[in-house]
Amino acid sequence: MNKVMTRAQHRPGTRPPTRRDTRRPAGSPPRTPSGGTARTASPGGRPPGSSGSTATLPRTRPTDTRPATVPALTPRTWRLPAAETSPLDRPAVPQPRPTDVFADRLLLVLSGQRPVHWMLRHTAGRAYDELAWLAERGLLRTRGTRPVVRDIGYFEPRPGAIEAFARIGAGDQLRAMAFRLEQGGDLRWRCTAVELGGPRRPRPDDD
């Protein structure tokens, strides 16, 4: 007797019939691929946890991993500490004597390092004419070595008047210079006379 095997017709869109394991007890639930209990469908045919489920999960914000911002530093103004002593308590800077100042000024003009008119506002009386006459003759002009003031002495015949003399050295040469200073009403010292050892300028009343 020939046994004919026929294929079961399978319709598109339907699952093929499954075999029932007769060895499984009737009351045990069907297996799932993960080995757990089969999920049950939620009402309405949607899977649990979908947008249509009634249970809502609390939203959690992503963890902020950005570094904490450092507050901007306010620019600080540095102040110097106040002076412990007032300016009146500070020691005064010693001022040069008028004899030293005028000895250097006259030497610069007589040696040709400064023009005569440089002393115009520092002279009074006949001193400017005497200085111009001496500078024209160049008695203190030297070659190579500049003349310097070696020594200064002075005498005060009265308050506001000084008669001074200076020794001028230029190499091996030594000359004497005499000058007179007077203090005016503006408290400024001016040269009123100047002489060098040697010939003197003739005065109008010497005729």
Side-chain angles (χ1 to χ4, degrees), residues 93-174:
V93 179
Q95 299 294 328
R97 296 177 180 177
T99 54
D100 298 344
V101 173
F102 275 85
D104 292 335
R105 289 175 178 175
L106 293 173
L107 177 59
L108 291 175
V109 174
L110 294 176
S111 61
Q113 301 180 51
R114 290 287 188 274
V116 180
H117 64 264
W118 182 62
M119 286 290 296
L120 185 60
R121 62 190 184 94
H122 300 297
T123 56
R126 66 175 186 271
Y128 184 80
D129 296 334
E130 293 175 349
L131 185 60
W133 187 84
L134 293 172
E136 183 180 357
R137 277 146 182 83
L139 299 178
L140 293 182
R141 294 186 182 183
T142 58
R143 294 181 180 180
T145 304
R146 289 186 179 182
V148 294
V149 178
R150 295 275 184 89
D151 189 17
I152 297 178
Y154 63 94
F155 169 71
E156 296 183 10
R158 61 175 177 85
I162 299 176
E163 294 181 356
F165 64 90
R167 293 184 178 92
I168 310 299
D172 298 335
Q173 299 180 0
L174 188 63

Side-chain angles (χ1 to χ4, degrees), residues 42-56:
S42 60
R46 295 189 179 92
S50 62
S51 59
S53 60
T54 57
T56 58

